[in-house]
């Protein structure tokens, strides 16, 4: 890992480097994605089955697109008993944390008969996309489904690509069943996103689509935004450790590598006020990398987007952390909670030396679907809020409206909207 | 206005009609919008000033793009004293309502040293787009700016096109000043959206862009989504009145027209269980239209998207209202609050015969930026939530992590992420 001195120039260069991980050649894929979406809107089932044959080499049709109870039973028989046990423990923690995010409808009343409020309603139907491909992440299923379940979404469907044999990974099916998914469909890619956005004979139209995916899936989600709601577009994983001389270099090194192993675009950054820690972490990183099974991915990720930055002051280190706005931020310093108060931008904040980042990936309860690539400046972790919507409530008595009606008429007339003015006036003035 | 009987077929036809109002010929504009965005990213100020010359016929440059204090003073001298007074009254109501939407950071602790929580932080910079063009809506300025202000956004900027004389409408400037906008820039269109998304020499990069606009503005917002956050894409206005025989036909007719006057794409629908009310409203509508200044727009809107629907039962009427998911819903029935409990989809719900829709447009306090065209099924009114973001908080003691560390290692190993497993194990096991 490169060790650099933190200053405005290194910070600027690093920020530029990190942003390069956002795909800038969208155009190349956009045409293809738009074609898939248009085809699915028009030909519906026929289109999705054709694409499934083409991309996933699987013969899927209206009679086998939906995963059956028997297939789920089979999956349970194939999944390690211990994994099932951990899935169930994690589920309880994730559910309990998200329960605390639930909000009440509220109203405020005044004695003249005014009631104003906000009504919370869960979305009716949510669609969760689960990628197939290289790695299988049952934890991702839990993290995407459980907030919808806690919010009270009536119908939760899942789409995921199957293998050429028409089968879905057993651990995906088991995690889906445990999390409470109502229906699972064996389609993937942009065609699955389009199917959920517009509906087909087999796939229901949903209100919101969530879940990670490759560039086709990401672009398809962006394209259907507005027809349905979507979560934010996920990017490569990131960790930033903010540490002083009290930190254990071995723990810090191990935590940095836990994110670097995700993929070659992942980023792991240490910012520390201790030159000694910087040196020790660098040594520990090298020792660990040599022993880890995903060492090639880790090394590339560290070469490209791994940094150890030595800062003169803690304030300077904190400011850099806010500028980088990392997906995961660990604070391993004296008075770590005090430092936390100064953090404005981070997806999830891990405080203290026993709050290792993977604790949050699997187990603690907060969501692991987090804003990446600087978007923690404006996006939030996936939450119950993503699966509810609000309606304003307005109720005025005759007395209350009469007291202000001339003001409203005045405002409407200034905006030259005379029918607006008329609708208020007609209640109080004879023509 | 057409009077039809509500049944599954009429409902389906109306839903199809309403959806036609969504622009389906995006492609025609998309190329142009993408070109503008690319140019602004590359040439920055030079590009936005060139487009301002081209589209707004105005000579704007780095020295005059920002509205000065003198210009704002001049605007105050030009605005009707009475309008200013109403703006100030409305501001108090809007601010008070949005204050109630503010949320606390929270945490939950367990005696073994676990702290989990959610930290709320306001966005740092918000950009509000205000259209120029046909109509001037100071109320729109208040509704877009005040939620950001209440949320605690540090820097609120506004962009709005100027006339060929380089001037901005006085009432826009006055409303902006009253609402607490920090800086106002005289640029409009897709170029303004691109400037706020990526920053130029003169225009700061923002975290979130909100505000209505024409098709270029809407497409530009969609294109920059992900680089910044955006609000939902606004469509033509809608009102749906749910009424029984207790409703006053004159009030209902006047309220329907208040939305029909917005533009020719606006939709006004009455669903009633009373055939008598249906007939009377139809008569009252015709009487009002003849007298209203915007009668041509109103008539076109009613011809295209205006319906009076007679329903057999209240339940059937309510179900249709949920399917249509109108921006504005008035409930003018017996036991109106009981009916409200059955409404799942609506932007704003107006309850009782004195809760005329324009009351919400200007004055009552809830936001008038509402989901349209069926998107109330998944989108919400603009609110304080749009200008905050959340960070998860995770803090485990040594004791707490030790108790569960084997579960986490197990989960990580099942997902084949060995560096994840290592980061937990290293804290408790000697190599």
């Amino acid at each position: 890992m490169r060790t650099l001195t933190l200053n405005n120039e290194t910070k600027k260069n690093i920020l530029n480097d990190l942003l390069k991980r956002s795909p800038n050649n969208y155009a190349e894929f956009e045409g293809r994605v738009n074609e898939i979406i248009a085809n699915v809107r028009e030909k519906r089932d026929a289109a999705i089955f054709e694409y499934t044959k083409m991309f996933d080499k699987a013969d899927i049709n209206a009679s086998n697109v939906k995963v059956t109870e028997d297939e789920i039973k089979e999956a349970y028989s194939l999944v390690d008993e211990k994994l099932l046990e951990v899935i169930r423990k994690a589920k309880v923690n994730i559910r309990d944390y998200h329960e605390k995010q639930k909000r009440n409808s509220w109203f405020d009343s005044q004695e003249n008969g005014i009631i104003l409020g906000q009504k919370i309603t869960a979305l009716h139907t949510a669609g969760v996309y689960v990628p197939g491909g290289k790695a299988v992440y049952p934890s991702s299923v839990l993290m995407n489904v459980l907030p919808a379940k806690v919010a009270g979404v009536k119908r939760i469907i899942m789409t995921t690509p199957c293998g050429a044999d028409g089968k879905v990974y057993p651990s995906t099916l088991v995690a889906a069943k445990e999390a409470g998914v109502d229906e699972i469909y064996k389609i993937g890619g942009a065609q699955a996103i389009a199917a959920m956005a517009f509906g087909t004979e087999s796939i229901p139209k949903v209100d919101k689509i969530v879940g990670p995916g490759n560039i086709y899936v990401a672009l398809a989600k962006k394209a259907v935004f507005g027809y349905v709601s979507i979560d934010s577009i996920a990017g490569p994983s990131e960790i930033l450790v903010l540490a002083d001389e009290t930190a254990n270099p071995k723990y810090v090194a191990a935590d940095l590598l836990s994110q670097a192993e995700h993929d070659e675009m992942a980023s792991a950054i240490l910012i520390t006020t201790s030159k000694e820690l910087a040196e020790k972490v660098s040594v520990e990183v090298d020792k660990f990398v040599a022993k880890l099974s995903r060492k090639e991915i880790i090394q590339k990720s560290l070469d490209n987007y791994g940094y150890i930055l030595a800062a003169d002051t803690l304030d300077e280190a904190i400011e850099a952390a806010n500028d980088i706005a990392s997906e995961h931020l660990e604070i391993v310093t004296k008075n770590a909670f005090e430092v936390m108060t100064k953090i404005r931008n981070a997806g999830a904040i891990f405080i203290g030396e026993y709050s290792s980042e993977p604790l949050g990936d699997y187990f603690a309860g907060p969501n692991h679907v987090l804003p990446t690539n600087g978007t923690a400046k404006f996006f939030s972790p996936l939450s119950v809020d993503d699966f509810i919507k609000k309606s304003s409530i307005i109720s005025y008595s005759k007395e209350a409206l009469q007291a202000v009606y001339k003001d409203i008429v005045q405002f409407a007339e200034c905006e030259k909207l005379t029918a607006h003015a008329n609708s208020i006036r007609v209640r109080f003035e004879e023509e």
Side-chain angles (χ1 to χ4, degrees), chain A:
Chain A
M1 268 176 108
R2 280 158 290 185
T3 302
L4 304 171
T5 302
L6 178 66
N7 56 37
N8 282 335
E9 206 187 318
T10 50
K11 191 164 74 177
K12 200 178 146 191
N13 290 338
I14 290 170
L15 283 170
N16 279 338
D17 269 3
L18 293 177
L19 283 177
K20 280 186 201 140
R21 298 174 307 152
S22 296
N24 285 307
N25 48 356
Y26 273 171
E28 163 186 347
F29 302 98
E30 262 175 1
R32 188 76 187 117
V33 167
N34 288 338
E35 187 191 317
I36 292 173
I37 293 172
N39 255 327
V40 172
R41 282 187 83 169
E42 192 194 328
K43 299 186 192 152
R44 312 176 73 201
D45 265 6
I48 58 174
F49 298 145
E50 203 181 310
Y51 285 122
T52 303
K53 182 72 191 164
M54 194 187 307
F55 298 130
D56 304 324
K57 319 286 174 218
D59 284 312
I60 296 295
N61 55 53
S63 70
N64 67 2
V65 65
K66 188 171 164 182
V67 171
T68 63
E69 281 303 314
D70 281 348
E71 287 176 296
I72 291 173
K73 261 188 215 155
E74 190 194 0
Y76 271 86
S77 74
L78 295 170
V79 162
D80 186 339
E81 194 64 37
K82 277 188 195 155
L83 175 62
L84 181 57
E85 208 178 292
V86 189
I87 285 176
R88 285 178 174 160
K89 284 186 194 174
K91 174 188 160 179
V92 171
N93 288 349
I94 297 166
R95 195 191 55 204
D96 288 355
Y97 178 83
H98 288 81
E99 284 285 351
K100 293 184 205 304
Q101 292 179 328
K102 287 183 79 170
R103 298 160 74 182
N104 291 322
S105 299
W106 57 263
F107 73 92
D108 183 64
S109 65
Q110 295 172 32
E111 289 195 7
N112 60 354
I114 294 178
I115 298 173
L116 298 177
Q118 187 173 275
K119 186 184 188 204
I120 306 278
T121 313
L123 304 190
H124 187 275
T125 313
V128 178
Y129 185 82
V130 177
K134 293 180 244 174
V136 188
Y137 296 131
S139 61
S140 171
V141 174
L142 299 180
M143 292 291 185
N144 279 282
V145 173
L146 288 170
K149 201 76 191 167
V150 170
V153 173
K154 293 257 181 344
R155 187 178 188 188
I156 303 175
I157 73 157
M158 176 181 285
T159 61
T160 190
C162 58
D165 58 356
K167 301 225 176 205
V168 176
Y169 289 110
S171 57
T172 300
L173 293 184
V174 166
K177 183 73 182 174
E178 291 293 321
V181 170
D182 297 295
E183 301 145 41
I184 304 167
Y185 297 94
K186 298 174 182 176
I187 50 165
Q191 59 275 20
I193 303 300
M196 289 195 277
F198 300 104
T200 72
E201 296 88 336
S202 298
I203 313 293
K205 173 175 170 31
V206 305
D207 296 315
K208 179 153 192 167
I209 300 173
V210 300
N214 61 18
I215 182 77
Y216 290 98
V217 168
L219 286 177
K221 278 166 66 182
K222 191 169 170 177
V224 301
F225 174 67
Y227 295 103
V228 293
S229 178
I230 62 167
D231 60 355
S232 46
I233 313 270
S237 195
E238 300 156 355
I239 186 168
L240 193 156
V241 180
L242 199 61
D244 64 13
E245 71 286 356
T246 64
N248 182 321
K250 208 162 155 179
Y251 301 177
V252 171
D255 290 359
L256 289 170
L257 299 181
S258 74
Q259 292 311 294
E261 84 170 328
H262 270 297
D263 61 67
E264 295 162 13
M265 304 279 264
S267 167
I269 299 174
L270 165 65
I271 306 181
T272 178
T273 49
S274 161
K275 288 215 166 55
E276 203 186 322
L277 184 79
E279 283 160 23
K280 285 186 181 165
V281 168
S282 182
V283 173
E284 293 293 339
V285 161
D286 292 340
K287 278 203 253 171
F288 278 130
V289 173
K291 290 190 295 189
L292 288 165
S293 63
R294 294 165 70 88
K295 61 169 79 72
E296 279 161 37
I297 292 172
I298 294 175
Q299 197 56 58
K300 277 196 186 148
S301 153
L302 294 181
D303 289 348
N304 290 328
Y305 306 109
Y307 301 93
I308 296 174
L309 300 172
D312 285 338
T313 67
L314 187 58
D315 280 345
E316 202 189 345
I318 291 168
E319 217 30 56
N322 279 324
D323 288 341
I324 292 170
S326 188
E327 180 189 18
H328 304 100
L329 174 74
E330 287 188 6
I331 304 175
V332 198
T333 61
K334 287 188 297 276
N335 306 322
F337 274 86
E338 201 179 307
V339 172
M340 178 273 288
T341 66
K342 297 182 169 62
I343 299 298
R344 291 189 309 274
N345 304 321
I349 304 172
F350 297 77
I351 300 173
E353 71 176 326
Y354 286 94
S355 307
S356 172
E357 190 282 332
L359 164 66
D361 282 345
Y362 297 108
F363 203 79
N367 212 288
H368 79 195
V369 180
L370 296 167
T372 56
N373 222 349
T375 62
K377 289 180 180 170
F378 42 83
F379 288 145
S380 299
L382 191 69
S383 75
V384 169
D385 289 341
D386 282 291
F387 297 98
I388 60 103
K389 70 219 169 57
K390 295 160 271 183
S391 302
S392 306
I393 300 287
I394 300 176
S395 182
Y396 262 50
S397 63
K398 180 176 184 181
E399 176 198 347
L401 188 65
Q402 189 147 27
V404 297
Y405 95 89
K406 286 183 179 163
D407 289 329
I408 302 173
V409 168
Q410 169 88 34
F411 211 143
E413 287 181 344
C414 286
E415 293 195 346
K416 298 196 176 63
L417 295 173
T418 51
H420 282 63
N422 179 63
S423 72
I424 300 291
R425 198 183 269 129
V426 73
R427 284 161 160 92
F428 300 105
E429 294 176 11
E430 291 299 318
E431 284 138 281

